[in-house]
Amino acid sequence: MSGRNLLIFIACFFCRALLAQSGPNRYSEFPDSIATHKVVLDKQSKIISWITPQADAYDRFLRGRWGFILKGIPNSPGPTPRSDYPQYYFYCAYKDQQMIPDTWMNDVGEKIPNWFESARLFYQYTGDKRALEIVTKMANYAIDHGTSASDFAWPDFPYTTTNAGDTVFRGFTSAKRLVLHEVQVDHAGDMGHTYYRLYLYTGNEKFKSAAIHVADALARYARVGSASQSVWPYRVVMSDGRITAQYGANWMGCYSLLDDLTKAGLGNTVAYRSALSKARDFILNYPMKTGFWTDGHTDTDVNSDTYKSNMSASNAALYLFDHPEFDPEYKTDIPDLIQWTEKNFVYRTAPGEPSTQWGANIVGEQDEFLPKMDYQTARYAAECARWYAISGDAAYKEKAFRSLNWVTYCSDSNGLAFESPLSKGVTSWWSDCYGEGPRMFYHALAAIPEWAPPGENHILYSENVLKEVFYKGNKLKYRATGGSGKEFLRISFKPSVIRVNGAAIHKEDNLLKAGYVLKPLGNNDYSLIINRSSGGAVTIE
C-alpha cells in the first residue's frame, strides 16, 4: 500500500504527453503485451492468465511471488550492519530487473503489516512457514530499531516511515515532506495489530507488549470525530504530540487491534471500548457517507479532509466482509464502495493510460497518483469476488476474474513483480508487490473456491491467525487462535468427520449456526466452510 513520489508522477505526465506527440510509446510498440508476457484472450476476446492451465493460474502466481523472495534477495548496499540484511529491510522498492534499490524512502508501516498478512495466508494455504519466519524477523527488528522513546508524547509507538537505508527508523525527512519523529497514526495501528497477531502465532510476549503499547496510545488520543478531524489525527510528531494532519480515514487496523485486545481481555479494555465506539461512529457517519477516504500513504504530506485514497475505502470494504455486524447497512455500503473505486480510480487515469484492458478494470491508487497498479487492481478484484459470494450477482464475478487475470501478468516467470507495467518511471514496491497484492487473492479464492486448483487441499482464507497447519493426504489439521471464526477451504475428498477441540461438528445448510457447510465442486472436490464457535484444534479427515 505504498504511496508514490509526486515528482515521478509529474515526470511521467510530461513524458507520456511528449511520447504521444513525437513517436510510438509503449502501447504502440507492444499493443498485445503486459510486462514480459504476450496477452492471452479467450473466445470473448477478454483476458485470461498467461499461466496455463487457467485452473492453476492463481496458485502459481502466489507461489511465484513468495518463491522469488525465498530464493534470496540481494543484501542492502553500504557498510554493516545495513549490508547484513536484504534490501527489503531498508528500502521501499527496486528498479527493474536489476534489483537496484529505490532510494526514495522506507515504508515500514505499510510493508510489515502487508507482508505479515501475505505470509500468514500463504502459510495457511501451503503449510510452508518460511515466509512467516522472514516477516517475524522483520517485525522484531522494527520493534528494536523503530519504536518511539518512552518519554515521548506518543510513547512506545511504531515509526511508520524512515529514510532509505536507515538502520534506525526515525521518520522520512530526506524529502523535506515530513519531519523527525513524524508518523501516520493509521499505519502505526496496522503495525500494532500485526504485533498482536504475531503474538498469537509465536507466543512471544514481546509482540504482545508492543501491541498493548500501541493500543494504549490510541485509547488515550481517541476523540469524537467530525468532517474535518477524524477519531485520531492522521499524522503526529511523536516527540511533542504536535498534530500535522487532522483528518484520515484508514482506521480499520487501529479498530481491529483495540477490538482483538478487548475480546482477549488484554490491556485497558475499558479505555479501548470507549475508543472503539468513537472510531465506529466516525467511520460510519463520515467517510462512509461523504466518500472522503483520506490517506496519502507513508511518503506523502497530504493534509486534507477531502482527499481520496483507494486503500482506505478498500480496507473498510474488506473489513465488512469479515465483520458485517460493524455496519447495519453493509449490503448497501459494500457495493457503493466498489462503485466508488470504479468512479474514482478505474475511470480516472494517468495521462495516456487506459481504464480497462481486454475486459479487465484496472485501478489507480490515490488522487495525486493515478497510474494503474497491480496491487490496487487485486484489491478491487477481491472486493468484487466477495460481493459476488454474498449477492450472487455474476457481473461481480466477471469483474473479479478479469482483473485478477490482469494482475498475473505483473509477474515474470520467476515471480519478479512489475507493479505498474503501463507506466514509465514507477518502481516496484516491496510492500505492494509481495504483501498487499498477493494477499488479496486469498479473499477471491475464499469467495469462489472453483478458482483454486482442482484435486488439491488448501485453506483458502481465514481472518483468524492459524498455526500448526498440517497437510497429509486426505487429512488437514490446524489450530485456530482467538475465539470464534471461519475457515474457507477447497478439498479433494468428502470429509467423514470434522472436529473442533476433539468434538465432532455437524453439517449445516448455512452459516447461521456453528458447524460446517459442504458443497460439491465436481470430480470429488468440495468447497468447505467451517464456522467455529471457539478457537482451538481443528481436524478434517
Side-chain angles (χ1 to χ4, degrees):
M1 291 188 289
S2 302
R4 291 298 179 276
N5 188 344
L6 183 57
L7 295 175
I8 293 176
F9 174 67
I10 294 170
C12 176
F13 182 102
F14 288 109
C15 176
R16 299 194 76 74
L18 181 63
L19 284 169
Q21 296 174 23
S22 62
N25 62 21
R26 188 181 185 97
Y27 304 119
S28 58
E29 290 175 34
F30 306 104
D32 60 352
S33 299
I34 302 174
T36 61
H37 306 290
K38 214 170 181 58
V39 172
V40 182
L41 305 178
D42 64 11
K43 293 179 180 179
Q44 304 174 60
S45 296
K46 293 184 177 181
I47 193 168
I48 57 176
S49 180
W50 65 273
I51 303 169
T52 56
Q54 175 75 51
D56 293 339
Y58 304 155
D59 175 274
R60 286 181 53 196
F61 170 84
L62 293 167
R63 293 178 187 274
R65 285 279 171 107
W66 271 119
F68 184 78
I69 299 295
L70 293 170
K71 281 184 288 188
I73 300 301
N75 278 7
S76 301
T80 57
R82 186 191 305 138
S83 57
D84 294 333
Y85 294 89
Q87 291 178 17
Y88 48 72
Y89 266 72
F90 305 127
Y91 299 91
C92 61
Y94 57 87
K95 300 176 183 178
D96 304 320
Q97 289 104 320
Q98 287 74 38
M99 304 296 295
I100 299 169
D102 184 330
T103 56
W104 172 237
M105 53 89 71
N106 185 6
D107 58 332
V108 184
E110 299 183 71
K111 187 188 311 170
I112 289 176
N114 280 307
W115 273 42
F116 171 75
E117 284 299 303
S118 179
R120 78 166 183 91
L121 291 167
F122 183 73
Y123 163 62
Q124 293 171 186
Y125 180 84
T126 63
D128 187 340
K129 297 179 180 179
R130 291 176 295 165
L132 262 177
E133 290 169 352
I134 288 174
V135 182
T136 301
K137 292 176 181 177
M138 290 172 66
N140 194 62
Y141 186 96
I143 292 174
D144 291 344
H145 300 86
T147 302
S148 69
S150 297
D151 60 354
F152 276 14
W154 288 70
D156 305 306
F157 209 62
Y159 282 85
T160 54
T161 186
T162 196
N163 299 322
D166 285 352
T167 56
V168 177
F169 307 152
R170 291 295 179 265
F172 175 42
T173 60
S174 59
K176 310 302 182 186
R177 292 183 172 188
L178 308 176
V179 301
L180 190 69
H181 308 307
E182 187 174 357
V183 297
Q184 294 82 8
V185 175
D186 57 342
H187 293 300
D190 293 339
M191 291 282 282
H193 192 225
T194 296
Y195 293 157
Y196 179 63
R197 287 159 80 75
L198 275 166
Y199 162 69
L200 294 176
Y201 177 71
T202 66
N204 187 337
E205 293 285 330
K206 179 178 181 178
F207 289 123
K208 181 176 77 172
S209 178
I212 290 173
H213 285 315
V214 178
D216 287 345
L218 292 173
R220 176 183 176 185
Y221 286 106
R223 59 194 185 181
V224 175
S226 69
S228 58
Q229 67 172 33
S230 48
V231 57
W232 293 284
Y234 170 41
R235 286 200 317 275
V236 300
V237 180
M238 295 189 291
S239 54
D240 58 15
R242 178 163 41 102
I243 295 173
T244 53
Q246 289 282 4
Y247 182 91
N250 180 42
W251 300 119
M252 302 322 304
C254 296
Y255 189 92
S256 297
L257 169 63
L258 294 168
D259 191 40
D260 285 354
L261 290 174
T262 299
K263 289 174 179 176
L266 297 173
N268 187 352
T269 57
V270 173
Y272 299 168
R273 288 191 186 95
S274 176
L276 284 166
S277 178
K278 293 183 178 76
R280 182 172 180 270
D281 287 347
F282 169 74
I283 292 164
L284 294 181
N285 289 322
Y286 292 99
M288 195 68 77
K289 292 180 178 178
T290 65
F292 295 134
W293 293 98
T294 298
D295 176 277
H297 300 263
T298 52
D299 64 342
T300 69
D301 55 357
V302 167
N303 187 357
S304 168
D305 54 22
T306 60
Y307 193 78
K308 297 181 292 297
S309 161
N310 190 60
M311 180 194 68
S312 299
S314 178
N315 281 341
L318 292 170
Y319 184 85
L320 294 182
F321 287 116
D322 289 326
H323 299 276
E325 71 282 357
F326 180 88
D327 179 5
E329 304 298 325
Y330 78 94
K331 287 189 176 180
T332 298
D333 286 339
I334 288 175
D336 283 353
L337 285 167
I338 295 173
Q339 290 163 22
W340 179 94
T341 292
E342 292 175 348
K343 174 184 176 181
N344 289 290
F345 297 107
V346 173
Y347 303 132
R348 290 167 68 208
T349 67
E353 293 192 4
S355 297
T356 64
Q357 285 191 304
W358 303 287
N361 288 341
I362 48 181
V363 185
E365 184 181 76
Q366 55 181 301
D367 276 350
E368 290 185 357
F369 196 83
L370 293 174
K372 302 303 186 179
M373 311 184 84
D374 71 333
Y375 83 105
Q376 292 290 354
T377 302
R379 276 187 169 278
Y380 168 77
E383 295 164 50
C384 288
R386 293 199 71 174
W387 181 241
Y388 161 72
I390 292 173
S391 68
D393 187 338
Y396 285 91
K397 182 180 181 181
E398 171 71 3
K399 290 177 179 181
F401 183 63
R402 302 305 175 181
S403 291
L404 288 179
N405 288 341
W406 186 90
V407 173
T408 67
Y409 284 83
C410 300
S411 287
D412 74 6
S413 299
N414 297 313
L416 174 71
F418 300 83
E419 174 158 13
S420 194
L422 304 182
S423 308
K424 294 184 181 296
V426 179
T427 56
S428 297
W429 287 49
W430 296 109
S431 172
D432 307 343
C433 295
Y434 298 94
E436 198 166 350
R439 72 183 180 90
M440 297 300 153
F441 277 71
Y442 301 99
H443 288 270
L445 293 177
I448 308 172
E450 56 264 38
W451 290 350
E456 299 181 12
N457 301 316
H458 295 286
I459 301 170
L460 304 177
Y461 176 76
S462 176
E463 189 205 23
N464 293 76
V465 173
L466 309 182
K467 56 185 182 179
E468 300 172 22
V469 174
F470 175 83
Y471 292 93
K472 186 175 182 180
N474 288 347
K475 184 173 183 178
L476 287 75
K477 298 193 297 183
Y478 58 90
R479 181 171 296 276
T481 65
S484 61
K486 296 182 181 69
E487 280 75 59
F488 299 80
L489 303 93
R490 176 168 180 158
I491 56 176
S492 61
F493 61 95
K494 188 174 184 179
S496 57
V497 62
I498 299 174
R499 292 186 173 89
V500 177
N501 292 320
I505 60 174
H506 301 291
K507 183 179 178 182
E508 304 289 348
D509 293 330
N510 53 56
L511 297 173
L512 297 177
K513 294 189 289 186
Y516 69 92
V517 174
L518 188 71
K519 295 182 179 179
L521 297 174
N523 297 319
N524 208 39
D525 278 10
Y526 294 87
S527 163
L528 171 64
I529 305 175
I530 296 174
N531 185 22
R532 297 175 287 97
S533 57
S534 66
V538 178
T539 59
I540 307 159
E541 55 187 313

